[in-house]
Structures are given as C-alpha cells and as structure tokens.
C-alpha cells in the first residue's frame, strides 16, 4: 500500500534539458515536501507546500520550481539541470495542524536523477 | 552549520547484540525528535520519535533516549538483527510550521 508514490524511480536527462518529477499521495496530508539528497549527506529541503501556500528555502536555486495542482499531487520542475543536480529527490508528506504538529513525515521511495 | 549531527558515519554490530546510534543537536528550540530508517533504493521510513517532555520512548526492540541537558539522543536496538542493516537518520523539529532538520545518517551493518 504505497502511500507516497514517486514517478519515475529513475530519471535520466540531458544537461540543460528540463525535467519534471512527480509525487502523489493517498494520505490526504496537507503538507508536501521536496528534498534533495546526495550521497552520504542529509536530505536537504528544497521547498514545501502548506496546503496551497508555497514555502521556498532560502538557498534553493531558482532552477528548481514546484507545482501543487491539488492535495494529492506535487511536481518538482528542474528548468535547466546541471551536473550538480544529479541526486536522489525525495517527496514527503505530513499532516500539520495548528502551531505544532508532532507528526512524522512519510516519504516516497525517491527518484534518482542522472544528468548526461 | 549542522544543527543535527550524527558523528559516526557507520557502525558494525553482531547479530543479537545491542546497536547504539547517537545524535547530537545544537538548536535548543528543537522539541521533537525522530529516527528514520532507510534501505537502499527506498525512501526513509519513520521508526520512532520522542517529545522533549520525555527522556525515553520504547517500541519493541527500539528505544530512543533523550538527554536535553547534553542535547543528545540515542537509538538503541536490541537485539540487533541482520534486517536492521540500513542507514539511520536522526531528525528534529522545532515549534511552528518548520521543516525537519536531518542528520547525515549512520550506516548500521548487523553481521550474522
């Protein structure tokens, strides 16, 4: 019962060619996150949607964009991928209510992006 | 500047023994801590959590201890099993709609 689904699992794109990664969830969680994880490093938050409100991390490059057309889906668009963007991209969801929500995030299995 | 640190990149333990994974943090605003387990080619899976009002939380073979004065938490797995071999991430939350802050992970190998 996959609850956070990422497609595709592996993506190869050419240097500079736009690419879109997708994430869907069946948990009806109000928050969706995109992380970038490189080898032996902590997952790095790129941005998150709190309902429809988009929250960008200060150090996320402009090359990275996101869309959330509805509660269930969230997309990560990389407009002009560079070699340094090769990484695992993780989508996560959580239910946040009020000021603080002690709820864990649920992760998808990730999309491994390679740049040629 | 890393707010959540896992200083041991790897750990090897014999099957049946105790595994102890450590995590230190610097942000005194953190009030909720989580451990995630990650197998290769899979996303992190939530394992266990602890609120800052507690100093211990136990779930089966997994126990998390929190020492707020030392800003340190640890995950104990006993007895360790080969299926526990994975990368373990420590993560922390502070109040408000703030994102999780992860450590770099510790790779646990349980040897049969």
């Amino acid at each position: 019962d996959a609850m956070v689904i990422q497609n595709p699992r592996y993506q190869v794109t050419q240097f500079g060619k736009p690419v879109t990664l997708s994430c869907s969830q069946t948990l009806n969680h109000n928050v969706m996150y995109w992380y970038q994880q490189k080898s032996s490093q902590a997952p790095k938050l790129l941005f998150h949607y709190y309902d429809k409100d988009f929250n960008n991390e200060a150090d996320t490059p402009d090359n990275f964009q996101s869309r959330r057309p509805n509660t269930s889906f969230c997309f990560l668009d990389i407009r002009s991928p560079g070699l340094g963007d090769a990484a695992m991209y993780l989508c996560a969801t959580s239910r946040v209510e009020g000021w603080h929500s002690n709820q864990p995030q649920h992760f998808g299995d990730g999309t491994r992006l390679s740049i040629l | 500047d890393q707010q959540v640190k896992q200083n041991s990149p790897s750990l090897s333990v014999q099957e049946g023994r105790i595994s102890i994974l450590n995590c230190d943090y610097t942000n005194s605003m953190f009030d909720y801590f989580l451990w995630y387990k990650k197998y290769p080619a899979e996303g992190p899976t939530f394992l266990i959590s602890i609120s800052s009002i507690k100093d211990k939380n136990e779930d089966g073979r997994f126990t998390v201890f929190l020492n707020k004065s030392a800003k340190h938490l640890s995950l104990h797995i006993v007895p360790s099993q080969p299926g526990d071999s994975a990368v373990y991430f420590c993560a922390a939350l502070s109040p408000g709609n703030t994102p999780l802050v992860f450590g770099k992970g510790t790779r646990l190998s349980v040897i049969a």
Side-chain angles (χ1 to χ4, degrees), chain A residues 29-32 49-54 68 70-71 96:
Chain A
H29 284 171
N30 56 339
V31 188
M32 294 185 78
Y49 273 94
Y50 188 117
D51 294 319
K52 294 182 180 179
D53 293 333
F54 178 69
R68 189 180 185 187
N70 53 53
T71 302
V96 176

Side-chain angles (χ1 to χ4, degrees), chain A residues 23-39:
Chain A
C23 177
S24 63
Q25 55 133 338
T26 59
L27 298 162
N28 203 31
H29 284 171
N30 56 339
V31 188
M32 294 185 78
Y33 309 81
W34 278 105
Y35 290 87
Q36 179 193 65
Q37 188 185 17
K38 298 187 177 180
S39 180

Side-chain angles (χ1 to χ4, degrees), chain B residues 11-55:
Chain B
L11 175 69
S12 286
V13 171
Q14 274 200 314
E15 181 178 8
R17 300 285 186 107
I18 185 171
S19 296
I20 300 176
L21 297 108
N22 292 305
C23 178
D24 297 291
Y25 61 96
T26 56
N27 186 345
S28 57
M29 294 297 292
F30 288 145
D31 67 348
Y32 188 62
F33 303 89
L34 308 91
W35 285 94
Y36 282 85
K37 175 179 176 179
K38 185 181 184 302
Y39 292 118
E42 293 184 14
T45 303
F46 169 69
L47 191 58
I48 192 169
S49 63
I50 189 167
S51 165
S52 61
I53 61 173
K54 295 186 175 182
D55 54 17

